[in-house]
């Protein structure tokens, strides 16, 4: 898993550098969540009956693209066409670009309402398919998130699992510096969700939370580090928007390879 | 119109299990005999969720209808309609009640006098503005079969039936045909002012239920000298403006002045205030025709 996550992080750095696009910090913070999902959790064998993953914090689309590539579901050409003139993949997802990109997203707070509708549709059909959502901590400030937060437990959507990438750095500051964010877990508990609070870089903790049986919709608050895996990016606000130059890429990849070798 | 469309929906729901209705805590009495169905939900007062939730259902193969008072269908959740429904190319049907100033004197928050302007910014959204229950049902049937997203703006209940024969909502429908060289195009419930207009001036009158139809207006209007459009909508950004973009003819637009409405009164009072009542429109058209 560690090696898979390293490969994904290297490809994130690769396309961030090729394109000159921002959001590298957010992309690296959720890499371990997507790695666990795509390599240990999601059932994608039968396309018509696949589990659904909704990337609601779609500014981390680089992570989804690199993960799909690692999974063999997105070509190298498509990956390198990210954010390019005449390319294939936008900075925020467009569902018409790849059969495994489930929604068009980018504006925050849209994923949970859509995923709730999908989960409800699956329950109506008596399907065993599952719906997974990844939101950002800044994103979970949107009113539409709380609208859906009230509905999902009412509909007993136990086929819906939501992750919050709690990297504790949104665009311009830490969430708690901007508004009264914490205790975010208690807030969802009060809305009648099954809530877990875990280390979002611990594969086993992610798996254990996902595998816990419950009749409620599940909210997994993942405490993560923005820029995870590249020491000089970790927990640094500037890497929300800064660009990965050739030099930065080289330095970051050397560090990732060194870190991977240690394991 | 409201009950006619709701009854049509309930009829189709019996044979189409994919049909699903989301009512945004609106339509008191309209859904009483349907609200316990698995094909219905009232998620509460949360318009963004209503649209997103509907998009999720639609992505899973449901034909989704979202029903609410019109300001809460287009204006309040505009960006959700744009991103979740139109950008994603989902064939969802949005039904807004209380078109124009139907809900006078509820106040401007409950009017939709700019909904056509907003809806027409979304490239693949079909817009319908039926004038009577017959048109409303035909608009719904069209939207139900369509693979595109649709927005149907309707008034409320009790509108007079004006069509006795079969109609095609993609084309102008004559409700007064004469030898006059002039024509009035009207849509929505303000059609009930037409008889008063004819007291002043004789001219051809058509209703146009599907505002985004690909109908060839240029050929149709060749036969007419002066062309008038009357609508219960802001004068800028409504169907008159849409038509001006499509044809070279001079279009005379009659609608509500683009300003926030602070006047209090019922619908007839506000129509008179803004000069879109049949009496005023009849006189204005007569003056224009007579030079």
């Amino acid at each position: 898993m560690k090696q898979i996550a390293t490969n994904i992080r290297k490809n994130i750095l690769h396309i961030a550098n090729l394109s000159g696009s921002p959001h590298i910090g957010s992309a690296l913070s959720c890499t371990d969540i997507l790695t666990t999902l795509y390599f240990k959790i999601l059932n994608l064998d039968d396309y018509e009956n696949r589990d659904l993953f909704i990337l609601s914090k779609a500014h981390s689309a680089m992570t989804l693209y690199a993960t799909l590539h690692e999974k063999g579901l997105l070509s190298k050409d498509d990956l390198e066409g990210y954010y390019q003139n005449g390319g294939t993949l936008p900075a925020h997802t467009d569902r018409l670009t790849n059969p495994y990109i489930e929604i068009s997203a980018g504006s925050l707070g849209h994923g949970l309402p859509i995923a709730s509708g999908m989960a409800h549709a699956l329950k109506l059909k008596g399907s065993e398919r599952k719906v997974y959502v990844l939101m950002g901590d800044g994103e979970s400030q949107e009113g539409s998130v709380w609208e859906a937060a009230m509905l999902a437990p009412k509909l007993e959507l136990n086929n819906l699992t939501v992750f919050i990438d709690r990297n504790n750095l949104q665009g311009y500051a830490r969430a708690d510096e901007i508004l009264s964010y914490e205790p975010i877990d208690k807030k969802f508990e009060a809305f009648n969700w099954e809530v877990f609070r875990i280390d979002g870089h611990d594969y086993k903790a992610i798996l254990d939370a996902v595998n816990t049986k419950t009749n409620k919709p599940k909210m997994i608050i993942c405490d993560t580090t923005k820029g995870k895996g590249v020491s000089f990016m970790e927990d640094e606000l500037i890497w929300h928007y800064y660009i990965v130059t050739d030099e930065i890429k080289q330095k970051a990849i050397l560090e990732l390879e060194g870190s991977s070798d240690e394991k | 119109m409201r009950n006619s469309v709701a009854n049509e929906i309930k009829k189709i729901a019996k044979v189409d299990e994919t049909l699903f209705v989301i009512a945004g805590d609106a339509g008191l009495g309209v859904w009483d005999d349907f609200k316990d169905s698995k094909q219905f939900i009232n998620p509460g007062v949360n318009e963004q969720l209503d649209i997103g939730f509907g998009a999720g259902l639609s992505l899973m193969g449901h034909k989704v209808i979202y029903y609410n008072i019109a300001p809460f269908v287009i204006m309040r959740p505009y960006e959700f309609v744009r991103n979740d429904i139109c950008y994603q190319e989902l064939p969802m049907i949005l039904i807004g009640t209380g078109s124009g100033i139907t809900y006078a004197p509820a106040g401007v928050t409950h009017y939709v006098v700019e909904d056509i302007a907003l809806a027409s910014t979304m490239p693949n959204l079909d817009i319908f503005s039926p004038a009577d229950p017959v048109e409303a049902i035909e608009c719904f049937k069209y939207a139900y079969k369509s693979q595109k997203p649709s927005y149907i703006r309707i008034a409320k209940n009790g509108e007079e039936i004006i069509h006795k024969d079969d109609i095609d909502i993609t084309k102008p429908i004559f409700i007064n045909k004469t030898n006059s060289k002039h024509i009035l195009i009207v849509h929505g419930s303000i059609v009930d002012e037409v008889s008063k207009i004819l007291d002043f001036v004789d001219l051809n009158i058509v209703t146009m239920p599907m505002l985004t139809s690909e109908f060839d207006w240029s050929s149709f209007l060749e036969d007419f000298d002066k062309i008038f459009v009357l609508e219960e909508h802001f004068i800028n950004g409504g169907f008159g403006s849409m038509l001006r973009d499509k044809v070279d003819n001079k279009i005379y637009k009659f609608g509500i002045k683009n300003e926030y409405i602070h006047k209090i009164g019922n619908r007839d009072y506000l129509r008179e205030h803004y000069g879109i009542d049949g009496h005023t429109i009849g006189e204005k058209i007569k003056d224009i025709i007579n030079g």
Side-chain angles (χ1 to χ4, degrees):
Chain A
M1 290 286 280
K2 173 78 176 169
Q3 186 57 54
I4 293 169
T6 298
N7 294 345
I8 292 169
R9 284 192 164 93
K10 283 164 71 176
N11 268 325
I12 292 170
L13 285 157
H14 175 55
I15 59 174
N17 169 249
L18 271 183
S19 61
S21 69
H23 296 308
I24 185 75
S26 311
L28 295 174
S29 72
C30 65
T31 299
D32 295 311
I33 300 169
L34 265 74
T35 302
T36 313
L37 269 169
Y38 276 85
F39 289 87
K40 290 289 182 188
I41 296 167
L42 294 178
N43 180 0
L44 302 175
D45 295 341
D46 171 9
Y47 183 75
E48 293 303 320
N49 290 302
R50 71 196 183 281
D51 289 334
L52 299 162
F53 173 64
I54 305 301
L55 181 67
S56 192
K57 51 167 284 185
H59 53 287
S60 294
M62 284 190 290
T63 319
L64 178 57
Y65 300 150
T67 306
L68 287 174
H69 175 64
E70 189 68 17
K71 190 79 183 167
L73 301 173
L74 191 145
S75 72
K76 190 163 192 289
D77 281 351
D78 278 347
L79 183 69
E80 292 184 341
Y82 164 76
Y83 208 88
Q84 304 290 343
N85 291 339
T88 44
L89 301 168
H92 301 86
T93 56
D94 181 339
R95 78 181 183 95
L96 304 180
T97 56
N98 181 285
Y100 291 92
I101 292 168
E102 306 292 352
I103 69 163
S104 303
S107 176
L108 299 175
H110 287 246
L112 190 52
I114 294 175
S116 300
M118 289 173 153
H120 186 58
L122 291 172
K123 289 209 82 167
L124 287 173
K125 283 180 192 156
S127 169
E128 294 298 311
R129 297 168 68 189
K130 305 275 191 273
V131 184
Y132 298 88
V133 183
L134 176 63
M135 296 194 299
D137 47 3
E139 173 179 17
S140 58
Q141 296 158 13
E142 291 279 8
S144 54
V145 167
W146 297 98
E147 293 179 3
M150 283 188 280
L151 182 65
K154 169 77 180 167
L155 296 176
E156 298 178 347
L157 300 179
N158 60 347
N159 55 350
L160 174 66
T161 298
V162 183
F163 299 89
I164 291 183
D165 181 13
R166 176 72 174 119
N167 60 34
N168 202 21
L169 276 175
Q170 54 191 93
Y172 291 88
R174 298 194 187 279
D176 262 337
E177 293 169 348
I178 290 174
L179 41 61
S180 179
Y181 188 80
E182 294 284 3
I184 191 70
D185 43 358
K186 301 292 179 205
K187 289 171 184 172
F188 279 101
E189 273 174 22
F191 279 64
N192 207 23
W193 287 67
E194 190 76 42
V195 179
F196 301 80
R197 186 140 197 168
I198 60 166
D199 174 353
H201 302 299
D202 181 338
Y203 309 122
K204 184 174 180 306
I206 296 169
L207 268 173
D208 287 349
V210 167
N211 289 332
T212 302
K213 299 275 183 218
T214 173
N215 282 322
K216 298 177 180 178
K218 202 178 280 182
M219 177 61 64
I220 306 174
I221 318 284
C222 297
D223 286 305
T224 60
T225 303
K226 201 149 182 167
K228 176 71 175 178
V230 180
S231 62
F232 57 89
M233 291 182 181
E234 287 190 356
D235 203 32
E236 291 289 341
L237 182 67
I238 57 168
W239 289 103
H240 191 82
Y241 289 120
Y242 268 33
I243 304 303
V244 179
T245 61
D246 292 345
E247 187 187 346
I248 293 288
K249 175 190 163 185
Q250 207 170 13
K251 197 173 155 190
I253 285 183
L254 274 174
E255 192 177 306
L256 279 168
E257 285 173 343
S259 157
S260 183
D261 290 345
E262 286 166 20
K263 295 282 171 180
Chain B
M1 278 194 256
R2 186 179 61 191
N3 288 357
S4 303
V5 171
N7 290 338
E8 185 68 20
I9 290 169
K10 287 180 250 183
K11 194 170 85 182
I12 296 174
K14 285 181 182 165
V15 291
D16 180 359
E17 287 182 357
T18 74
L19 193 135
F20 195 99
V21 177
I22 300 169
D25 209 37
L28 190 65
V30 174
W31 304 109
D32 281 358
D33 55 348
F34 192 61
K35 67 183 181 192
D36 295 326
S37 164
K38 285 183 176 177
Q39 292 166 270
F40 178 87
I41 191 169
N42 170 9
V45 184
N46 38 40
E47 295 80 9
Q48 301 176 109
L49 169 66
D50 292 339
I51 298 293
F53 188 80
L57 284 156
S58 183
L59 282 162
M60 301 310 292
H62 285 277
K63 186 75 180 183
V64 181
I65 296 147
Y66 170 49
Y67 175 96
N68 207 336
I69 301 172
F72 314 125
V73 168
I74 287 290
M75 290 190 287
R76 177 69 178 249
Y78 173 84
E79 192 236 19
F80 281 68
V81 175
R82 173 185 182 265
N83 292 357
D84 295 358
I85 307 300
C86 295
Y87 175 38
Q88 299 210 94
E89 300 182 10
L90 302 178
M92 195 162 146
I93 304 171
L94 313 174
I95 299 177
T97 63
S99 56
I101 49 174
T102 299
Y103 288 139
V108 77
T109 56
H110 283 57
Y111 304 160
V112 276
V113 287
E114 60 278 82
D115 57 326
I116 294 169
L118 277 171
S120 64
T121 61
M122 294 181 266
N124 58 351
L125 179 64
D126 276 334
I127 306 169
F128 303 85
S129 182
D132 79 337
V134 175
E135 288 189 9
I137 290 173
E138 291 305 311
C139 289
F140 175 76
K141 284 180 177 172
Y142 184 99
Y144 172 67
K145 288 180 186 162
S146 172
Q147 294 306 306
K148 293 173 66 178
S150 304
Y151 168 52
I152 306 173
R153 68 191 304 262
I154 60 178
K156 47 181 182 180
N157 217 26
E159 292 82 9
E160 194 180 335
I161 291 176
I162 55 173
H163 300 293
K164 302 284 186 285
D165 303 319
D166 289 345
I167 56 169
D168 178 354
I169 52 104
T170 66
K171 296 173 181 167
I173 307 162
F174 280 91
I175 56 173
N176 191 60
K177 198 161 191 175
T178 77
N179 292 325
S180 167
K181 290 190 71 64
H182 313 299
I183 186 168
L184 171 68
I185 302 162
V186 64
H187 66 84
S189 63
I190 201 169
V191 73
D192 60 14
E193 298 286 343
V194 160
S195 61
K196 292 178 220 163
I197 295 169
L198 290 171
D199 288 343
F200 289 83
V201 58
D202 184 35
L203 75 171
N204 293 285
I205 300 180
V206 294
T207 65
M208 187 60 201
M210 184 178 179
L211 306 186
T212 43
S213 168
E214 294 296 315
F215 180 70
D216 181 1
W217 282 101
S218 293
S219 301
F220 177 74
L221 294 176
E222 272 176 7
D223 298 334
F224 300 101
D225 184 6
K226 289 194 165 52
I227 297 146
F228 307 95
V229 175
L230 171 63
E231 53 194 330
E232 204 168 276
H233 186 275
F234 274 158
I235 199 161
N236 295 338
F239 185 62
S241 299
M242 288 168 71
L243 200 57
R244 271 191 181 175
D245 288 342
K246 291 178 187 223
V247 298
D248 294 331
N249 312 61
K250 177 167 173 57
I251 309 287
Y252 294 88
K253 299 193 299 180
F254 300 117
I256 296 169
K257 184 180 175 187
N258 285 53
E259 64 180 24
Y260 289 109
I261 301 167
H262 295 284
K263 282 277 176 191
I264 300 159
N266 65 24
R267 192 188 64 178
D268 292 341
Y269 174 86
L270 286 181
R271 281 182 181 173
E272 276 184 38
H273 174 75
Y274 282 105
I276 55 169
D277 60 293
H279 182 104
T280 308
I281 293 297
E283 283 191 329
K284 282 180 183 171
I285 290 176
K286 187 178 169 188
D287 288 348
I288 292 168
I289 288 173
N290 294 334

